[in-house]
Amino acid sequence: MLEESNLQPKDLAHICESESTVLDILNGKRQLSDNQIKELAAFFKISPSYFVGDIF
């Protein structure tokens, strides 16, 4: 989803606290919190269910 939107992990740092947290989520080392799911869904204008069970 990041590539499709021409975004870098740093562009989501405001939602996920830091670029390193975004990278941890992308690499499967962390899971998204409920709040992060809601914020990412609003940011990308998609359903929060897109993020449940998957990483972006």
Side-chain angles (χ1 to χ4, degrees):
M1 182 175 289
L2 288 176
E3 290 177 11
E4 294 168 6
S5 301
N6 276 340
L7 296 172
Q8 298 294 319
K10 67 180 180 177
D11 298 318
L12 301 178
H14 68 283
I15 294 173
C16 297
E17 301 171 12
S18 69
E19 184 176 355
S20 65
T21 300
V22 175
L23 292 171
D24 284 347
I25 292 167
L26 290 171
N27 291 322
K29 295 180 181 177
R30 285 187 180 205
Q31 293 187 350
L32 291 166
S33 70
D34 290 342
N35 191 51
Q36 289 167 333
I37 290 171
K38 290 175 188 173
E39 289 187 43
L40 286 167
F43 182 83
F44 286 107
K45 298 180 174 117
I46 59 174
S47 170
S49 64
Y50 181 85
F51 298 103
V52 178
D54 291 321
I55 60 170
F56 53 104

